[in-house]
Amino acid sequence: MEKEKVISVSGLTKKFGDFTAVNGITFDVYKGEIFGFLGANGAGKTTAMRMLCGLLSPTSGDATVAGFDLYKQTEKIKTKIGYMSQKFSLYEDLTVKENITFYGGIYGLGNRELKFQSKRLIESLGLQSEANQLVGSLPLGWKQKLAFSVAVIHKPSIVFLDEPTGGVDPITRRQFWDLIYEAVKNDITVFVTTHYMDEAEYCNRISMMVDGDIAALDSPSNLKQGHGVDSMDEVFYNLARTAKRKSD
Amino acid sequence: MRTLRFLLVKEFKQIFRNRTLLPMIFLMPLIQLLILPLAADYEIKNINVYVVDHDKSTFSRDLISMIISSGYFKLVDYDSSYKRALSEVERNKADLILEIPNDFERNLNRDRVQKVFIAINAINGTKAGLGGSYLSTILKEFNKNIVMELDHSFDGKKALKRIDVVNSNWFNPYLDYKTFMVPAILVILVTMIGAYMCSLNIVKEKEIGTIEQINVTPIKKHVYVLGKLIPFWIIGMGVFSIGFFVISWGVYGIVPIGNILLLYGYLALYLVALLGFGLLVSTYAENQQQAMSVAFFFVMIFILMSGLFTPIESMPEWAKWIAKGNPVTYFIEVMRMVVLKGSGYRHIQNHFLIMMGFAVVLNFWAIANYRKTS
Ligand SMILES: Nc1ncnc2c1ncn2[C@@H]1O[C@H](COP(=O)(O)OP(=O)(O)OP(=O)(O)O)[C@@H](O)[C@H]1O
Ligand SMILES: [Mg+2]
């Protein structure tokens, strides 16, 4: 049986002036998988992801996301995806509960659903006693977990996570991945970028970006085998050292 | 519309949680309204008027003594040579020339209408401009049938150009300068608060990145824009009301002659236009600094070219065009007309239409230029 594609990208390109940040990348993401995006700083991961979320218009190339055309049905795509940006972007001057209610409301959840989700979310994150605290006062790890939960509050088909665990301690990272697995169980396809090689191992398939191109795309075990090494670290190093682009 | 409700709740929570912004919104205008009119007191006495009297009748002498006794004018000289009068203006000895034609008395009695001519020294435009309007009021009081011709363009080199000011805009001539300025300054304060707050607010969301999280939702652009507009519209109404009732009425004792509802109708429309401007700035600016400087640039022009300090009639032609393309001009006019003169809807119909135009253009432009996909 053919696996169902939820994202299909072909020749997607983004130029900023003369500079090609993403250079005609082509790949598919299948339903229910955890798809990892790896690459050095400045490789073009965020740029690619923002194009797929409809935040940035591509220079050329085609893509369908959740069955909708990236150019013509951008707003339809937005009902089907969740996005957690690299930069924390919930409202720091609203409380935990208020952020949940706000985003749930924007995504069109009904009152009862909103109450239910808000309660469930706060409990599952263990934030009961912080529910009425301003988000700005929470530690980073908790903020990230909250941001993730808010990104999937409307039960999207796909969630895009841009370095969701950047700067977070190992324990919180584990907890974060538990949240990701739970989302997968709920039929959400996960598209995630990361710099952590242990996290790369958690992905079903990995795409390695080097200077705007996809240099390799396979499962972690196949990649290791193909390079004749036994850690993702080494795979990453082998591929990334060919990069010419300076990180910024 | 449920979405809009969530946006509004969020916006108000943020505004009322902001400990620095809130006092600024409500206190700053009050304090400024108390201080500015004192500092910007342009009430002018000792305006030097040169009377060229070709008639030399009892009537013309009555008129002159009425002008002098108003307490605002000093007679430079009184004779029948316009040329000499001009040279006095050139030497800056006279601010105004009033020329009373031959047969002034006879024509007034016979034809019931008579023209007089006023020339203004544009070098000290404010003084002479105000003088001109004081004078026109005295003339009207003296005899309703005097039609004035006013010349503003006297700057020593240009040929004289004649302008009819049969419909002078000046209606609070020399009673109290504050009465004239306070309502207009209130307009300026509401304008500044509206334009700055609105544009900065959205750009701040751009800067901290929260707007991305909004742009990735299926929210409609106009709903988002409304969610920003409505809170500032309400705040604008609030600030205006405090300034209007507490300071203008309460402290300065300016009791509006016209219909307050009419005034609020205009304010409501004006705020939509103004906030549209703020939104527009925010869609172009990348960060708060840019937004601030762009908004500041335009607000400055709006203020200077609004007829607040300098009467529009005494502006050069190019400046008049700017004044006409400036929403503040119309609101100040409406404010003075309704509050001081008691004008009704009929008189400000055009002002409504023009402001409607501003509101529609600015807001549609802003919505069109707001991109969820960059
Ligand atoms: N708006 C922009 N204008 C110009 N250049 C940009 C813009 N956005 C990104 N770039 C450039 O495009 C390249 C790719 O950036 P991108 O943010 O996609 O990298 P990344 O893989 O996400 O890196 P990181 O791991 O540091 O997040 C970088 O060199 C960056 O400087
Ligand atoms: Mg990135």
Side-chain angles (χ1 to χ4, degrees):
Chain A
M1 200 186 95
E2 181 92 335
K3 282 184 286 181
E4 194 187 329
K5 290 177 193 168
V6 286
I7 301 176
S8 180
V9 180
S10 111
L12 199 64
T13 302
K14 181 68 193 183
K15 291 186 177 155
F16 296 109
D18 292 337
F19 176 74
T20 308
V22 172
N23 188 13
I25 54 174
T26 300
F27 62 91
D28 295 319
V29 177
Y30 301 105
K31 190 169 171 36
E33 74 174 334
I34 302 178
F35 187 84
F37 237 42
L38 261 61
N41 289 129
K45 306 179 295 290
T46 299
T47 307
M49 190 179 264
R50 292 186 65 222
M51 282 193 281
L52 295 178
C53 290
L55 288 172
L56 193 64
S57 52
T59 310
S60 62
D62 287 307
T64 55
V65 177
F68 296 115
D69 183 79
L70 186 54
Y71 296 94
K72 297 191 199 96
Q73 299 168 302
T74 322
E75 293 305 299
K76 286 215 171 101
I77 290 177
K78 287 176 180 172
T79 63
K80 294 286 180 194
I81 62 168
Y83 172 64
M84 181 180 161
S85 86
Q86 189 168 349
K87 194 170 156 196
F88 179 75
S89 48
L90 296 185
Y91 291 99
E92 307 226 345
D93 51 354
L94 295 183
T95 68
V96 172
K97 220 181 205 162
E98 287 164 350
N99 267 292
I100 296 172
T101 310
F102 174 68
Y103 281 105
I106 296 287
Y107 275 114
L109 266 56
N111 282 339
R112 239 196 294 127
E113 173 76 356
L114 209 52
K115 255 211 185 99
F116 170 76
Q117 286 288 350
S118 162
K119 191 160 173 280
R120 188 190 63 82
L121 247 168
I122 288 168
E123 275 167 17
S124 74
L125 293 176
L127 286 174
Q128 289 93 331
S129 51
E130 285 83 9
N132 293 317
Q133 262 180 36
L134 295 188
V135 164
S137 68
L138 297 181
L140 182 65
W142 293 14
K143 282 187 189 171
Q144 302 287 71
K145 285 193 280 184
L146 178 64
F148 175 81
S149 306
V150 166
V152 295
I153 194 167
H154 57 300
K155 304 206 175 82
S157 322
I158 309 159
V159 64
F160 292 89
L161 309 172
D162 197 355
E163 287 185 40
T165 54
V168 165
D169 67 71
I171 297 173
T172 314
R173 269 172 52 206
R174 277 313 289 257
Q175 293 170 344
F176 196 95
W177 275 87
D178 288 341
L179 290 175
I180 292 183
Y181 286 131
E182 202 187 302
V184 172
K185 250 189 262 159
N186 291 324
D187 273 339
I188 298 177
T189 304
V190 177
F191 189 123
V192 59
T193 75
T194 180
H195 283 297
Y196 298 109
M197 290 309 133
D198 56 331
E199 290 186 350
E201 304 268 7
Y202 303 150
C203 297
N204 299 106
R205 284 191 309 145
I206 301 272
S207 117
M208 269 287 310
M209 278 195 88
V210 179
D211 288 358
D213 292 302
I214 292 185
L217 199 175
D218 216 327
S219 65
S221 54
N222 286 350
L223 282 174
K224 282 183 281 190
Q225 229 168 43
H227 282 260
V229 295
D230 29 58
S231 73
M232 276 308 293
D233 254 337
E234 286 167 274
V235 177
F236 182 84
Y237 181 71
N238 279 342
L239 292 165
R241 72 178 165 187
T242 60
K244 306 206 168 41
R245 200 175 276 179
K246 284 227 182 67
S247 62
D248 45 11
Chain B
M1 282 308 91
R2 234 173 83 83
T3 315
L4 185 57
R5 214 185 66 215
F6 284 104
L7 280 168
L8 292 179
V9 169
K10 166 221 156 215
E11 214 61 58
F12 274 113
K13 279 187 175 146
Q14 289 183 307
I15 290 169
F16 283 103
R17 246 166 231 174
N18 193 327
R19 286 285 136 92
T20 43
L21 189 66
L22 208 58
M24 215 181 82
I25 295 174
F26 288 101
L27 280 180
M28 192 195 74
L30 299 189
I31 294 168
Q32 295 206 344
L33 206 50
L34 285 174
I35 293 171
L36 271 181
L38 301 176
D41 194 340
Y42 268 81
E43 189 171 57
I44 284 168
K45 298 201 167 144
N46 301 328
I47 299 159
N48 299 312
V49 58
Y50 195 112
V51 180
V52 181
D53 186 358
H54 299 292
D55 197 36
K56 300 225 158 72
S57 59
T58 348
F59 234 57
S60 71
R61 267 191 296 274
D62 282 352
L63 173 61
I64 292 161
S65 70
M66 185 163 166
I67 291 169
I68 307 297
S69 62
S70 73
Y72 288 85
F73 294 96
K74 252 172 56 188
L75 194 61
V76 180
D77 208 343
Y78 166 81
D79 70 13
S80 51
S81 159
Y82 190 70
K83 249 180 78 185
R84 268 205 52 212
L86 274 183
S87 74
E88 289 299 303
V89 171
E90 268 161 18
R91 287 166 51 212
N92 242 354
K93 290 273 190 282
D95 303 306
L96 282 177
I97 304 172
L98 171 66
E99 191 178 21
I100 302 171
N102 260 331
D103 304 328
F104 174 71
E105 179 168 3
R106 212 190 64 201
N107 287 348
L108 250 158
N109 285 330
R110 195 187 57 192
D111 304 339
R112 303 256 140 240
V113 57
Q114 174 60 53
K115 285 187 173 181
V116 297
F117 177 69
I118 302 173
I120 287 175
N121 180 0
I123 289 175
N124 188 351
T126 316
K127 186 175 179 191
L130 269 169
S133 53
Y134 292 176
L135 198 56
S136 72
T137 314
I138 295 175
L139 287 170
K140 266 186 212 146
E141 240 168 72
F142 180 73
N143 190 314
K144 280 201 200 67
N145 300 322
I146 297 176
V147 180
M148 284 159 301
E149 281 196 354
L150 188 55
D151 172 24
H152 299 280
S153 61
F154 189 93
D155 58 6
K157 48 185 192 287
K158 280 265 151 51
L160 297 180
K161 188 173 49 184
R162 297 188 163 212
I163 306 159
D164 281 316
V165 283
V166 184
N167 299 312
S168 173
N169 284 329
W170 298 75
F171 18 85
N172 170 45
Y174 46 80
L175 295 176
D176 183 3
Y177 189 73
K178 281 186 197 71
T179 311
F180 189 63
M181 287 310 282
V182 168
I185 290 177
L186 180 57
V187 170
I188 299 295
L189 290 174
V190 169
T191 302
M192 284 168 61
I193 291 177
Y196 292 155
M197 276 205 339
C198 182
S199 57
L200 285 183
N201 178 287
I202 295 179
V203 177
K204 190 174 157 215
E205 289 220 27
K206 272 193 196 178
E207 256 184 34
I208 57 179
T210 47
I211 205 162
E212 289 241 300
Q213 206 62 52
I214 299 277
N215 287 344
V216 83
T217 70
I219 195 169
K220 299 258 187 316
K221 284 204 287 184
H222 68 271
V223 175
Y224 179 73
V225 164
L226 270 179
K228 289 290 179 190
L229 241 157
I230 293 172
F232 293 114
W233 186 87
I234 293 173
I235 288 174
M237 290 295 235
V239 169
F240 181 88
S241 302
I242 296 174
F244 191 71
F245 290 106
V246 179
I247 308 292
S248 175
W249 198 330
V251 176
Y252 291 105
I254 301 170
V255 182
I257 299 172
N259 188 336
I260 293 179
L261 278 180
L262 181 66
L263 191 65
Y264 267 79
Y266 201 79
L267 169 69
L269 183 60
Y270 174 75
L271 282 173
V272 174
L274 174 72
L275 297 176
F277 164 76
L279 288 168
L280 185 60
V281 170
S282 73
T283 60
Y284 280 102
E286 289 300 323
N287 52 52
Q288 295 190 65
Q289 261 161 323
Q290 270 179 23
M292 193 69 195
S293 35
V294 172
F296 184 76
F297 174 77
F298 280 103
V299 167
M300 246 14 227
I301 293 181
F302 285 170
I303 293 175
L304 293 174
M305 297 288 184
S306 64
L308 171 67
F309 300 113
T310 343
I312 294 179
E313 300 95 72
S314 60
M315 288 180 182
E317 205 56 33
W318 61 267
K320 272 185 205 165
W321 281 104
I322 298 181
K324 277 184 193 151
N326 172 0
V328 179
T329 306
Y330 298 95
F331 192 25
I332 289 187
E333 254 174 47
V334 165
M335 190 80 173
R336 284 174 172 166
M337 284 169 86
V338 175
V339 173
L340 306 180
K341 198 183 178 186
S343 301
Y345 176 69
R346 189 157 67 73
H347 303 107
I348 58 170
Q349 223 169 355
N350 272 339
H351 291 71
F352 263 102
L353 276 178
I354 292 168
M355 196 53 71
M356 194 91 77
F358 277 118
V360 169
V361 169
L362 288 167
N363 283 287
F364 275 86
W365 186 357
I367 292 175
N369 198 53
Y370 165 44
R371 305 217 178 285
K372 289 179 74 180
T373 310
S374 59

